[in-house]
Amino acid sequence: MKKVLSLILAAALMLCFAACSQQPASTTPDNATVIKMGTNAAFPPYEFKEGDAFKGIDVDIATEIAKELGAKLEVVDMEFDSIITSVQKGEVDFGMAGMTVTDERKLEVNFTSSYATGVQVVIVNEGSDIKSLDDLEGKKIGTQLGTTGDIYSKDDYGEENVVSYSKGADAIIALKGGDVDAVIIDNEPAKAFVAQNEGLEILETEYAIEDYAIAVKKENTELLDKINAALEKLTADGTIDKIIANYISAE
């Protein structure tokens, strides 16, 4: 009798093991696969936090992409200059943080098709003697570490004249405190910072125009193709335009 019970128990355990092994490696309680997005949630209106909730253009677009992939989005907040490394290591599935496509970054990760256009601008204190890009020569420039504004300004004005901060907001604090003479950052966050801080203004001259895209691990071409297909659909049906319009005025 004991031998029969042992055989029955062994068979039950084998069936349980087989059933469990067929479940997805990463699932939520509702059985949806989790897809992780690496971002820096200090870049409004593309990504920011309200309480514990992640919001913004990139977050909303990524949520729609996840739906198209039959997955649930998980947002992982980190320093901007850690995102590509996290994508390479597989710690996140993709990076989306108002990230510009550059030749240097394309050596490290693959990029999807572009979903938005970004403009780099210059913020100064009202009454500053900086009126144009030429006036930045020899000035102290604040940037967010790892961004294209950081990279481009070091090339254009010299690394010795650029102070890189982990967050754009820290660069703004430095500008108001007189530690730097100007800040180079994306136009939309720039408008938000100026609206929140009296005594700042944006130069009329644009510093750079660039395309934003999603970073995916080089080896993960399957995910790259799926995200591109999702972006194509969301662009065609107007979803992406509606999301952007929710955060950025057409005026």
Side-chain angles (χ1 to χ4, degrees):
M1 184 65 178
K2 290 182 178 179
K3 185 176 182 181
V4 172
L5 288 174
S6 296
L7 289 172
I8 292 172
L9 180 60
L13 288 172
M14 289 179 66
L15 287 172
C16 178
F17 177 78
C20 292
S21 66
Q22 292 174 4
Q23 297 299 315
S26 178
T27 59
T28 60
D30 61 0
N31 206 39
T33 301
V34 173
I35 188 167
K36 293 184 179 182
M37 164 187 170
T39 194
N40 175 237
F43 195 64
Y46 289 95
E47 37 268 320
F48 57 94
K49 292 189 76 173
E50 285 188 358
D52 293 329
F54 291 99
K55 295 190 175 183
I57 293 170
D58 287 349
V59 176
D60 288 0
I61 292 176
T63 299
E64 293 300 320
I65 290 172
K67 289 179 183 177
E68 292 295 322
L69 272 56
K72 181 177 180 179
L73 182 70
E74 178 182 339
V75 180
V76 183
D77 193 17
M78 63 186 70
E79 298 296 333
F80 183 85
D81 63 337
S82 298
I83 295 174
I84 286 182
T85 301
S86 294
V87 171
Q88 290 176 313
K89 290 181 177 180
E91 296 170 346
V92 295
D93 296 295
F94 63 90
M96 193 174 183
M99 187 176 292
T100 305
V101 179
T102 67
D103 290 337
E104 292 80 5
R105 288 173 179 166
K106 286 195 290 186
L107 294 175
E108 300 177 303
V109 293
N110 283 333
F111 280 101
T112 65
S113 53
S114 176
Y115 64 88
T117 299
V119 178
Q120 295 286 319
V121 297
V122 182
I123 305 175
V124 297
N125 288 300
E126 290 180 352
S128 169
D129 60 354
I130 300 173
K131 306 296 182 184
S132 68
L133 299 181
D134 290 339
D135 295 333
L136 289 172
E137 292 289 347
K139 302 291 187 179
K140 284 293 181 184
I141 301 168
T143 62
Q144 183 177 2
L145 182 65
T147 63
T148 47
D150 183 47
I151 297 167
Y152 297 161
S153 59
K154 287 175 179 175
D155 287 340
D156 291 341
Y157 303 106
E159 291 191 18
E160 69 279 6
N161 293 319
V162 178
V163 183
S164 305
Y165 297 89
S166 61
K167 297 178 181 178
D170 293 339
I172 296 299
I173 292 171
L175 175 62
K176 294 181 67 178
D179 295 324
V180 297
D181 302 300
V183 170
I184 294 178
I185 199 167
D186 181 273
N187 186 48
E188 296 306 326
K191 289 192 290 188
F193 287 137
V194 169
Q196 295 164 5
N197 295 273
E198 290 185 9
L200 301 182
E201 62 183 3
I202 300 172
L203 296 186
E204 293 184 5
T205 304
E206 298 169 344
Y207 179 56
I209 299 175
E210 50 204 10
D211 291 322
Y212 288 165
I214 301 169
V216 180
K217 189 176 182 179
K218 282 281 188 182
E219 296 81 3
N220 202 348
T221 55
E222 180 181 359
L223 179 60
L224 181 73
D225 292 341
K226 287 181 178 179
I227 294 178
N228 272 330
L231 284 174
E232 184 176 358
K233 179 179 182 297
L234 296 170
T235 300
D237 66 15
T239 299
I240 289 179
D241 284 343
K242 290 177 183 177
I243 289 172
I244 293 174
N246 284 338
Y247 293 92
I248 300 176
S249 171
E251 296 179 359

